Each structure stands twice: as C-alpha cells, then as structure tokens.
Amino acid sequence: MKRVNRNPDSEPGKQSDPNEQSAMNEPGRKYPPSDSAPESSRPKVVEVEEEKEGLSNSARVAQGKLLGGLLANGFNEETCISRYQSVSYRKELPHKPSSYLISSLRNYEALHKKCGPHTESYKMAVEQLKSGNNPESSDCSYLVWISFSGLGNRILTLASAFLYALVTNRVLLIDPGVDMADLFCEPFPDVFWFLPLDFPLKAKADEKIGIQIRIFGSGTSPFEYVLDQILNCTVRENILPEFNRQEQDPSQYGTQKSKALLVTSLSSWYSQKMRNMYWEHPSMTGELIGIYQPSHEEYQQTEKQNHNRKAWAEMYLLSLTDVLVTSSWSTFGYVAQGLGGLKPWILYKPENQSAPDPPCRRAMSAEPCFHAPPFYDCKARKGIDTGALVPHVRHCEDMSWGLKLVDV
C-alpha cells in the first residue's frame, strides 16, 4: 500500500507531483472515508492500494480474520471467539498461504462434510469396525488421532496428523481425551472433528494384555531396570513376543495375530519406550502389538476425586484383559485381578536398583494379599506361622509375611 501525504496549507506554493495526481485520478481506486475534522485543519492522507492486490480495505480485514484463506468463512463467531479474534493480537502473517494449499483445504472440508461424524458413510464405517471386519472400500477413509502426552506434544502430533490426512485424502477424527474439546475450536464449518462416544477406539485384538506398574520406595521414577524387568518377564513367559532385531520379513510367519497391551502407570515413560521398541522392530512371531495407556498422573494424588476416577477406570480396564502382569505390594493390582478372576504374573519387588532374576512368578490365585495378618495365637499365648494353619491360607507371593486365600 502506498501512503501519500499532502498538506497544501503548510507548504504553500508547492507543486503537486504528476505521478501522485495520476494515481489519485485512476478509476477504480477506493479511498477511506473522511473523518469529521475540517479539511483545512488536518493533513490530507490518501491511501492508494496496489492494483495487484485488488482488495478493498474491508476485504483486507476479512482476509486477516481468515488468516489469508486458511480458515473457511461461515462460522458463527460466538461459538469460538478466539477463532477470528486471535489475529488482532499478533503481527501480520509473514507468509501468505499458497493458492494450492487453500484449494486443498477447501477440498478437505468438502470431504469431511461428506464423511465426518454423523454422516451415513461414517455410520457404515463404525458398524463395520464394531463387527470386527475391515471397512469395505469406499470414498471415505479415516485417520484417528489419539490424545496422548503433554499439550506441546499433542499440538505437534495433531498438526502432523492433519497434514498426513490432507495429502492422503483421509478424514481426521480427534480423540477429545479429557480436555481437548475445551482447548481447541472446531476448525471446519458445519462439521465435527471430535470422535463421538460410539466410535470403537481400540481395534479388535486376538489377545488383551494388562501391565500394572507401581514403584515403591525412594527415588524418582521411571527406572530403566524396571523396564528391563517387565520385558524379561513378559518375553520369558511368552506374554509378549521378542523383538526382531534382524528385520526379517514377518510375512514368513503366516497369518499375523494382534495383541492389545494396556499399560497403567503414573508415568508414561514405560509405555512410550515399549511402543517405540515395537515400532522400530517387528516382533519375532510376526504378531502386531498395539500399546495403550489411558492416563499418566505422574504422582499419586490421594483423595483427589478426578484422580481416583481415573484409577478406578483403569482397575476395571485391567480386569477385562486376558493376561495380567502386576506389581508387588500393589492393592491397585489386587483389585484388578479380583474383578477379573485372573491369576496375574507378579513382578518381584526390585532390590538395590536392579532387576530381580527371576523377574516374576505366577500367582497362586486371584485373591488379594492381606498385608497385616495376625501372628499371635491367643490360646497358646505365643507367635505362630498363620500361613501354615490351614491348607487354603498361605503366605503371599509378593509379601512373605502376608496371607491370601488359595485354591486347593
């Protein structure tokens, strides 16, 4: 934009610039309306727009609100105030989006409107997933983004997921998690990108495995030796397959089975490390391993309602697994095994910051361990071994002085 100042009152006798005059007289130019100040009391300011831009001042404002075309028009501004107002708080965009990008965004919006949640195509895909069948070929393919890790990681992976969906002609669906819907606006008009509650988030697996990780004692977790212990236990007991470090062709194993691994821990480090291992190296058996962790609270928050809700939900989810691995001394694991009637593999409590060998053992029963049983015989007036009185009560696998009911 050119800005030409003219003040004939303060500079009498000055000749007007012919180039300036011709620019002012060009047809089709649009100028801002004059304000209420008298002509003789203020400098005359003439705003001249470059022809190549071809936009009026009001059009410029609209383009700014739409971030140069990145946002589509037609939203109800009251549904998300920051969608249009955020541009007011930052400098002008240093780079203009290309016409190809804008065209791709409009094409994506049309695809999302055709295939997104609550459409007939979406409903058909959901029914096929629930039945355990792969969706039949259609014009609608989907990419599901799962809410995981910190906010910075979520924003970066969400941007990457959208770009992938854009270039592969897929519809992006977002797991709202616990706070995504409150943090982000819907980016496309007249459609939804958050997953409805009826969407089957987890794919059907041939076997469901639960690993409950609880660290007792001083020190800051996570610990590498705890991860080593988990891997030693699960591989040795054929719960999880070993990694294929030679990158052999997994097709040699024939039909690929799948295992869904649910990890519960205050830290996300263990599940992330295991996920990376199976992403970087296929399994020796050719099995497909999916790893999931519902939450990672970082530290125990006793008597916090939201924290306890998550804990209760995870105990219940663990009880639905086919094979369960739990941590010694943990009542969290006791509840899960009791609800599911499962005999878990119990990880021995590490000593001296090293993984024990053997790393785990199978529980005698699904019953919990009573950590503080009586040791005194009132009639004999002396201490006794209460784990040797009757055959169906024995000392616990994970706590030598504890008692539990067992099958006889």
Side-chain angles (χ1 to χ4, degrees):
M1 178 182 290
K2 293 180 179 178
R3 185 175 288 273
V4 183
N5 293 335
R6 298 178 65 239
N7 193 341
D9 295 331
S10 61
E11 298 182 72
K14 180 178 177 181
Q15 299 295 320
S16 62
D17 188 336
N19 292 330
E20 173 190 331
Q21 190 69 31
S22 62
M24 292 173 57
N25 294 332
E26 281 184 31
R29 296 287 185 183
K30 296 192 182 291
Y31 307 101
S34 62
D35 54 32
S36 58
E39 286 288 324
S40 59
S41 64
R42 62 179 177 84
K44 293 183 177 179
V45 179
V46 180
E47 293 189 358
V48 183
E49 298 175 344
E50 298 288 351
E51 285 188 2
K52 63 181 180 179
E53 295 179 5
L55 293 174
S56 66
N57 191 51
S58 60
R60 288 178 188 280
V61 174
Q63 279 293 84
K65 289 174 61 175
L66 300 178
L67 302 179
L70 293 178
L71 290 177
N73 206 352
F75 283 104
N76 180 349
E77 295 194 26
E78 295 181 357
T79 60
C80 187
I81 296 175
S82 66
R83 180 186 288 116
Y84 290 137
Q85 291 192 3
S86 62
V87 69
S88 305
Y89 301 98
R90 62 176 68 251
K91 297 179 181 179
E92 185 178 352
L93 295 177
H95 306 290
K96 294 183 177 180
S98 68
S99 58
Y100 177 79
L101 174 58
I102 294 175
S103 174
S104 298
L105 290 174
R106 300 295 88 83
N107 291 336
Y108 174 84
E109 289 159 6
L111 177 66
H112 200 117
K113 192 169 186 177
K114 173 185 176 183
C115 305
H118 311 301
T119 64
E120 291 302 318
S121 298
Y122 171 86
K123 293 176 183 177
M124 185 181 301
V126 168
E127 289 304 316
Q128 290 174 340
L129 284 174
K130 286 183 176 179
S131 67
N133 300 321
N134 290 326
E136 298 176 359
S137 59
S138 67
D139 295 334
C140 300
S141 298
Y142 299 90
L143 175 64
V144 177
W145 177 90
I146 304 298
S147 181
F148 174 74
S149 195
L151 182 58
N153 287 315
R154 282 185 279 169
I155 292 174
L156 293 177
T157 57
L158 183 54
S160 298
F162 177 66
L163 179 59
Y164 183 79
L166 199 66
V167 299
T168 59
N169 206 37
R170 286 175 164 84
V171 172
L172 178 63
L173 301 176
I174 304 301
D175 166 29
V178 297
D179 57 3
M180 292 293 289
D182 291 330
L183 294 175
F184 298 94
C185 303
E186 290 276 4
F188 315 116
D190 304 321
V191 295
F192 302 94
W193 72 336
F194 288 116
L195 281 172
L197 295 177
D198 64 345
F199 190 86
L201 277 179
K202 293 183 181 180
K204 184 178 179 181
D206 297 302
E207 187 177 35
K208 298 185 289 293
I209 301 165
I211 297 182
Q212 180 259 335
I213 305 171
R214 182 70 166 95
I215 309 298
F216 295 96
S218 60
T220 303
S221 66
F223 300 109
E224 191 77 40
Y225 62 84
V226 173
L227 177 62
D228 292 339
Q229 180 185 4
I230 294 169
L231 294 175
N232 289 340
C233 172
T234 52
V235 171
R236 182 180 298 187
E237 304 301 338
N238 295 317
I239 299 170
L240 288 175
E242 195 172 356
F243 309 123
N244 183 350
R245 301 185 185 278
Q246 284 71 42
E247 306 295 338
Q248 297 173 358
D249 183 6
S251 63
Q252 63 179 301
Y253 301 105
T255 303
Q256 292 181 320
K257 293 184 178 181
S258 60
K259 291 186 175 183
L261 174 59
L262 172 67
V263 177
T264 65
S265 172
L266 293 173
S267 169
S268 63
W269 184 83
Y270 299 101
S271 63
Q272 189 61 55
K273 291 286 286 188
M274 296 177 72
R275 184 181 291 114
N276 290 341
M277 290 175 182
Y278 281 108
W279 277 350
E280 294 170 3
H281 306 285
S283 64
M284 289 293 292
T285 59
E287 292 172 301
L288 302 178
I289 310 299
I291 301 177
Y292 310 91
Q293 181 170 351
S295 72
H296 50 97
E297 298 286 271
E298 303 304 329
Y299 61 95
Q300 186 167 346
Q301 302 171 45
T302 304
E303 298 183 359
K304 292 293 183 66
Q305 185 178 30
N306 194 48
H307 177 82
N308 288 335
R309 284 174 176 171
K310 295 177 183 179
W312 177 224
E314 292 181 2
M315 291 178 199
Y316 184 79
L317 289 173
L318 287 171
S319 75
L320 301 177
T321 58
D322 302 306
V323 180
L324 182 61
V325 179
T326 62
S327 297
S328 291
W329 298 16
S330 175
T331 55
F332 192 109
Y334 296 163
V335 173
Q337 70 194 48
L339 283 174
L342 301 168
K343 293 182 181 180
W345 291 91
I346 303 174
L347 297 166
Y348 286 112
K349 190 175 182 296
E351 301 291 345
N352 301 319
Q353 296 188 339
S354 60
D357 188 19
C360 60
R361 65 163 289 182
R362 190 73 183 272
M364 295 179 285
S365 72
E367 298 297 326
C369 177
F370 182 26
H371 288 181
F375 296 104
Y376 189 74
D377 187 332
C378 295
K379 291 182 179 181
R381 296 185 179 183
K382 64 178 181 179
I384 59 170
D385 181 2
T386 50
L389 294 178
V390 292
H392 55 272
V393 177
R394 296 183 186 175
H395 289 296
C396 307
E397 304 88 350
D398 56 334
M399 186 173 283
S400 60
W401 61 88
L403 295 179
K404 69 180 295 184
L405 294 171
V406 298
D407 300 322
V408 292

PDB file of all heavy atoms in Angstrom, residues 204-216:
ATOM      1  N   LYS A 204     -10.024 -54.470  17.274  1.00  0.00           N
ATOM      2  CA  LYS A 204     -10.214 -55.807  17.823  1.00  0.00           C
ATOM      3  C   LYS A 204      -8.886 -56.552  17.835  1.00  0.00           C
ATOM      4  O   LYS A 204      -8.168 -56.568  16.839  1.00  0.00           O
ATOM      5  CB  LYS A 204     -11.242 -56.565  16.980  1.00  0.00           C
ATOM      6  CG  LYS A 204     -11.583 -57.936  17.508  1.00  0.00           C
ATOM      7  CD  LYS A 204     -12.629 -58.596  16.654  1.00  0.00           C
ATOM      8  CE  LYS A 204     -12.965 -59.991  17.172  1.00  0.00           C
ATOM      9  NZ  LYS A 204     -13.967 -60.663  16.327  1.00  0.00           N
ATOM     10  N   ALA A 205      -8.540 -57.138  18.982  1.00  0.00           N
ATOM     11  CA  ALA A 205      -7.269 -57.847  19.118  1.00  0.00           C
ATOM     12  C   ALA A 205      -7.535 -59.304  19.458  1.00  0.00           C
ATOM     13  O   ALA A 205      -8.556 -59.646  20.060  1.00  0.00           O
ATOM     14  CB  ALA A 205      -6.412 -57.202  20.205  1.00  0.00           C
ATOM     15  N   ASP A 206      -6.598 -60.163  19.055  1.00  0.00           N
ATOM     16  CA  ASP A 206      -6.732 -61.587  19.380  1.00  0.00           C
ATOM     17  C   ASP A 206      -6.502 -61.854  20.865  1.00  0.00           C
ATOM     18  O   ASP A 206      -7.017 -62.823  21.411  1.00  0.00           O
ATOM     19  CB  ASP A 206      -5.738 -62.398  18.541  1.00  0.00           C
ATOM     20  CG  ASP A 206      -6.035 -62.285  17.051  1.00  0.00           C
ATOM     21  OD1 ASP A 206      -7.152 -62.625  16.645  1.00  0.00           O
ATOM     22  OD2 ASP A 206      -5.153 -61.825  16.308  1.00  0.00           O
ATOM     23  N   GLU A 207      -5.712 -60.995  21.506  1.00  0.00           N
ATOM     24  CA  GLU A 207      -5.444 -61.165  22.935  1.00  0.00           C
ATOM     25  C   GLU A 207      -5.236 -59.800  23.577  1.00  0.00           C
ATOM     26  O   GLU A 207      -4.576 -58.930  23.003  1.00  0.00           O
ATOM     27  CB  GLU A 207      -4.212 -62.042  23.160  1.00  0.00           C
ATOM     28  CG  GLU A 207      -3.968 -62.388  24.626  1.00  0.00           C
ATOM     29  CD  GLU A 207      -2.788 -63.327  24.801  1.00  0.00           C
ATOM     30  OE1 GLU A 207      -1.814 -63.209  24.034  1.00  0.00           O
ATOM     31  OE2 GLU A 207      -2.837 -64.174  25.716  1.00  0.00           O
ATOM     32  N   LYS A 208      -5.795 -59.616  24.758  1.00  0.00           N
ATOM     33  CA  LYS A 208      -5.647 -58.363  25.509  1.00  0.00           C
ATOM     34  C   LYS A 208      -4.777 -58.619  26.733  1.00  0.00           C
ATOM     35  O   LYS A 208      -5.039 -59.537  27.519  1.00  0.00           O
ATOM     36  CB  LYS A 208      -7.019 -57.825  25.920  1.00  0.00           C
ATOM     37  CG  LYS A 208      -7.928 -57.472  24.746  1.00  0.00           C
ATOM     38  CD  LYS A 208      -9.221 -56.830  25.198  1.00  0.00           C
ATOM     39  CE  LYS A 208     -10.139 -57.827  25.885  1.00  0.00           C
ATOM     40  NZ  LYS A 208     -10.653 -58.855  24.960  1.00  0.00           N
ATOM     41  N   ILE A 209      -3.743 -57.790  26.895  1.00  0.00           N
ATOM     42  CA  ILE A 209      -2.771 -57.953  27.965  1.00  0.00           C
ATOM     43  C   ILE A 209      -2.756 -56.686  28.809  1.00  0.00           C
ATOM     44  O   ILE A 209      -2.784 -55.573  28.277  1.00  0.00           O
ATOM     45  CB  ILE A 209      -1.366 -58.219  27.398  1.00  0.00           C
ATOM     46  CG1 ILE A 209      -1.374 -59.483  26.528  1.00  0.00           C
ATOM     47  CG2 ILE A 209      -0.328 -58.331  28.517  1.00  0.00           C
ATOM     48  CD1 ILE A 209      -0.156 -59.613  25.657  1.00  0.00           C
ATOM     49  N   GLY A 210      -2.726 -56.847  30.122  1.00  0.00           N
ATOM     50  CA  GLY A 210      -2.633 -55.704  31.029  1.00  0.00           C
ATOM     51  C   GLY A 210      -1.341 -55.735  31.815  1.00  0.00           C
ATOM     52  O   GLY A 210      -0.943 -56.795  32.312  1.00  0.00           O
ATOM     53  N   ILE A 211      -0.660 -54.597  31.909  1.00  0.00           N
ATOM     54  CA  ILE A 211       0.545 -54.473  32.732  1.00  0.00           C
ATOM     55  C   ILE A 211       0.345 -53.297  33.676  1.00  0.00           C
ATOM     56  O   ILE A 211       0.167 -52.162  33.237  1.00  0.00           O
ATOM     57  CB  ILE A 211       1.813 -54.267  31.880  1.00  0.00           C
ATOM     58  CG1 ILE A 211       2.055 -55.480  30.986  1.00  0.00           C
ATOM     59  CG2 ILE A 211       3.021 -54.018  32.776  1.00  0.00           C
ATOM     60  CD1 ILE A 211       3.313 -55.377  30.138  1.00  0.00           C
ATOM     61  N   GLN A 212       0.361 -53.581  34.978  1.00  0.00           N
ATOM     62  CA  GLN A 212       0.178 -52.564  36.001  1.00  0.00           C
ATOM     63  C   GLN A 212       1.517 -52.307  36.667  1.00  0.00           C
ATOM     64  O   GLN A 212       2.136 -53.216  37.216  1.00  0.00           O
ATOM     65  CB  GLN A 212      -0.874 -53.029  37.017  1.00  0.00           C
ATOM     66  CG  GLN A 212      -1.140 -52.044  38.139  1.00  0.00           C
ATOM     67  CD  GLN A 212      -0.437 -52.430  39.422  1.00  0.00           C
ATOM     68  OE1 GLN A 212      -0.124 -53.590  39.658  1.00  0.00           O
ATOM     69  NE2 GLN A 212      -0.172 -51.439  40.266  1.00  0.00           N
ATOM     70  N   ILE A 213       1.977 -51.065  36.601  1.00  0.00           N
ATOM     71  CA  ILE A 213       3.315 -50.714  37.083  1.00  0.00           C
ATOM     72  C   ILE A 213       3.184 -49.761  38.266  1.00  0.00           C
ATOM     73  O   ILE A 213       2.606 -48.681  38.152  1.00  0.00           O
ATOM     74  CB  ILE A 213       4.151 -50.044  35.979  1.00  0.00           C
ATOM     75  CG1 ILE A 213       4.202 -50.939  34.729  1.00  0.00           C
ATOM     76  CG2 ILE A 213       5.559 -49.744  36.483  1.00  0.00           C
ATOM     77  CD1 ILE A 213       4.824 -50.275  33.526  1.00  0.00           C
ATOM     78  N   ARG A 214       3.717 -50.166  39.398  1.00  0.00           N
ATOM     79  CA  ARG A 214       3.705 -49.325  40.609  1.00  0.00           C
ATOM     80  C   ARG A 214       5.071 -49.407  41.251  1.00  0.00           C
ATOM     81  O   ARG A 214       5.561 -50.507  41.549  1.00  0.00           O
ATOM     82  CB  ARG A 214       2.621 -49.806  41.577  1.00  0.00           C
ATOM     83  CG  ARG A 214       2.499 -48.969  42.847  1.00  0.00           C
ATOM     84  CD  ARG A 214       1.925 -47.595  42.543  1.00  0.00           C
ATOM     85  NE  ARG A 214       1.496 -46.917  43.767  1.00  0.00           N
ATOM     86  CZ  ARG A 214       2.254 -46.049  44.436  1.00  0.00           C
ATOM     87  NH1 ARG A 214       3.485 -45.781  44.016  1.00  0.00           N
ATOM     88  NH2 ARG A 214       1.778 -45.450  45.516  1.00  0.00           N
ATOM     89  N   ILE A 215       5.691 -48.263  41.478  1.00  0.00           N
ATOM     90  CA  ILE A 215       7.030 -48.203  42.048  1.00  0.00           C
ATOM     91  C   ILE A 215       6.931 -47.751  43.499  1.00  0.00           C
ATOM     92  O   ILE A 215       6.359 -46.702  43.790  1.00  0.00           O
ATOM     93  CB  ILE A 215       7.930 -47.220  41.271  1.00  0.00           C
ATOM     94  CG1 ILE A 215       7.870 -47.523  39.773  1.00  0.00           C
ATOM     95  CG2 ILE A 215       9.357 -47.286  41.790  1.00  0.00           C
ATOM     96  CD1 ILE A 215       8.359 -48.890  39.397  1.00  0.00           C
ATOM     97  N   PHE A 216       7.475 -48.546  44.410  1.00  0.00           N
ATOM     98  CA  PHE A 216       7.514 -48.192  45.824  1.00  0.00           C
ATOM     99  C   PHE A 216       8.950 -47.863  46.219  1.00  0.00           C
ATOM    100  O   PHE A 216       9.906 -48.370  45.647  1.00  0.00           O
ATOM    101  CB  PHE A 216       7.005 -49.342  46.696  1.00  0.00           C
ATOM    102  CG  PHE A 216       5.544 -49.648  46.481  1.00  0.00           C
ATOM    103  CD1 PHE A 216       5.163 -50.664  45.605  1.00  0.00           C
ATOM    104  CD2 PHE A 216       4.568 -48.939  47.150  1.00  0.00           C
ATOM    105  CE1 PHE A 216       3.827 -50.960  45.413  1.00  0.00           C
ATOM    106  CE2 PHE A 216       3.230 -49.223  46.962  1.00  0.00           C
ATOM    107  CZ  PHE A 216       2.856 -50.233  46.092  1.00  0.00           C
TER     108      PHE A 216
END
